[in-house]
Every structure is written in C-alpha cells, then in structure tokens.
Amino acid sequence: MLKNGQHSFKYETTWDGGRNEVGYISCGNLKTEVSIPKEMNGPGIGTNPDELLLSAAATCYLISLATMLDLSKVPAYLTLKSEGIVEVENSNLTYKEIIHHVEIALKEKSEKHIRLANRLAIKAEQTCMISKAIRGNVNVVVNCTII
C-alpha cells in the first residue's frame, strides 16, 4: 500500500528471445517496441534504454523549467534539444553525460526576466526529479540561450 503523497508507476514488458530480438514495453501511456540500438550492434527497432533515459531527463527538466517560469510569472516559449553521451570503456557501456540546450523565448523581455530565466534554467536541472535520481552517476549540463 502506498503512503500518503506517493505515486506508483507500472511497467510491463515482453521480450522475444536473445540479445538481438525485440521487446514490447508498456508504461502508462508509453507503449512501444524496444531493442538494442544499431549503434551498439543491435536491431535498432523501436526505442532503447539510452533514448528512454534521455527522454525522461529532458522531459522532466523541461516541465520543471516551465513550472518555475510560470510560478515566477515569466511568460516564455521553450525549445529544448538534449544529447546523451554513452561511452565504451573496457567493453563496458557507461552513460556519461546529458547536455540540455534550452532556448527561452521571453514574451516580455526585461532585464529582470532575463536574469530570472537564466537562474531558473539552472535551478530546474537541480530540482528535477530525474536529474536528482541520476546525480552522481551521469553529469548533466545546461546551456541556456535567451531570445
């Protein structure tokens, strides 16, 4: 039984055999095929854990930033491009870094809003639930442009 204030997310999967086969995942509204990416000598069908981790980190960051801007009454349009860096060391794969390139288009451009938007772009990464979960294992970098 969940304690008050806790949320539960459910994940289910089926996998069709060995390393180079394809699975199917279902997690809430996310339903898709999954396999090892072509870059790692897999079939490259559907998504993969590397893309899912990057997507989770990027989406959490973006929602955190949008919420902070909204609560601070800084109206803006956001564009985010993120990159995940995976490194091979001694046949081991390590997710090394996630780089968020966020563009904040201010609807009301003032010095106050520019300073606040820059500060919130960094704070959003520090408070994002996924960033906190991977902190110490994956380096997360934020590059912010205000327009």
Side-chain angles (χ1 to χ4, degrees), residues 75-101:
Y77 295 106
L78 303 174
T79 304
L80 179 64
K81 294 180 182 178
S82 297
E83 179 181 10
I85 308 296
V86 176
E87 187 173 276
V88 180
E89 292 178 8
N90 303 322
S91 300
N92 293 317
L93 296 170
T94 304
Y95 216 114
K96 294 300 249 185
E97 186 169 53
I98 293 174
I99 306 163
H100 297 308
H101 301 279

Side-chain angles (χ1 to χ4, degrees), residues 36-42 44 48 51:
I36 295 172
K38 284 187 183 228
E39 298 84 354
M40 296 175 183
N41 299 317
N48 58 69
E51 290 173 346

Side-chain angles (χ1 to χ4, degrees), residues 25-88:
I25 63 172
S26 175
C27 188
N29 291 322
L30 176 62
K31 295 167 184 14
T32 188
E33 291 178 307
V34 63
S35 71
I36 295 172
K38 284 187 183 228
E39 298 84 354
M40 296 175 183
N41 299 317
I45 296 171
T47 191
N48 58 69
D50 309 284
E51 290 173 346
L52 290 169
L53 180 62
L54 178 60
S55 296
T59 303
C60 184
Y61 170 73
L62 189 65
I63 290 171
S64 296
L65 178 56
T67 300
M68 289 178 170
L69 288 167
D70 190 46
L71 291 172
S72 298
K73 304 207 181 328
V74 179
Y77 295 106
L78 303 174
T79 304
L80 179 64
K81 294 180 182 178
S82 297
E83 179 181 10
I85 308 296
V86 176
E87 187 173 276
V88 180

